[in-house]
Amino acid sequence: MRDSAEHTGQPSTDQYGVGKCVRNTTSGRQYPEAKGLRRSMYLVHIHLWASPACGRLPHTTATDIAGCTEDCDGLLHVSVHPEPEDRPVVGVYLRAASLAEAEAEAVRLWQLAQTALPSLVGWTLLRAEVPLLPQALPNPPPEPST
């Protein structure tokens, strides 16, 4: 599975001999070095729903999605939050030029995975969005008084 921790951190030229890249030790793919990178990393949550007849997502879902979507440029890591059982969340870490591009790429990634993996056929995509984290705001709102 691709993961940002798998990068060697050793710069090299890309397949066209242009620029410096960091090689992923697992897939062998190369990614632009962070210094000149115009794309940011995003965590996009893919919210799913299925009828009770579908049961739970298989425990191999994250690995399966990463394996069948290797051609998705910018995908770094996939994780699954299986609870609640009928509304799991698939988290994808990816690089994109904007938040909107990241969310659109996550939808495309889900569609590719759902087409390739029979275990995902009964699951419906509710939404794909970057979660807003209040602690990341420069001036978080005050705590409510009790």
Side-chain angles (χ1 to χ4, degrees), residues 5 18 28 30 36 45-46 71 78-79 87 93 111-112 118 120 134 142:
V18 178
Q30 297 184 33
H45 281 168
I46 301 171
D71 292 336
V78 179
S79 64
R87 291 187 188 264
Y93 289 85
Q111 291 167 340
L112 287 171
L120 303 181

Side-chain angles (χ1 to χ4, degrees), residues 3 8 33 68-69 111 121 135 139:
D3 189 305
T8 63
E33 199 174 3
C68 76
T69 57
Q111 291 167 340
V121 170
Q135 62 269 32
N139 296 313

Side-chain angles (χ1 to χ4, degrees), residues 35 45 60 108 115 142 144:
K35 285 188 271 187
H45 281 168
T60 59
R108 188 177 83 81
T115 300

Side-chain angles (χ1 to χ4, degrees), residues 97-145:
S98 68
L99 186 142
E101 182 182 298
E103 291 175 341
E105 182 64 13
V107 169
R108 188 177 83 81
L109 180 142
W110 171 256
Q111 291 167 340
L112 287 171
Q114 196 172 36
T115 300
L117 301 169
S119 61
L120 303 181
V121 170
W123 293 89
T124 301
L125 172 70
L126 296 176
R127 64 188 182 279
E129 61 190 10
V130 171
L132 300 179
L133 306 172
Q135 62 269 32
L137 299 174
N139 296 313
E143 294 292 322
S145 58

Side-chain angles (χ1 to χ4, degrees), residues 10-48:
Q10 300 300 315
S12 65
T13 56
D14 66 10
Q15 62 192 14
Y16 305 107
V18 178
K20 292 192 173 189
C21 295
V22 176
R23 183 178 297 279
N24 180 302
T25 57
T26 300
S27 68
R29 294 179 71 186
Q30 297 184 33
Y31 299 93
E33 199 174 3
K35 285 188 271 187
L37 194 62
R38 296 221 184 268
R39 299 188 318 162
S40 298
M41 184 173 75
Y42 293 90
L43 164 61
V44 181
H45 281 168
I46 301 171
H47 296 264
L48 305 173

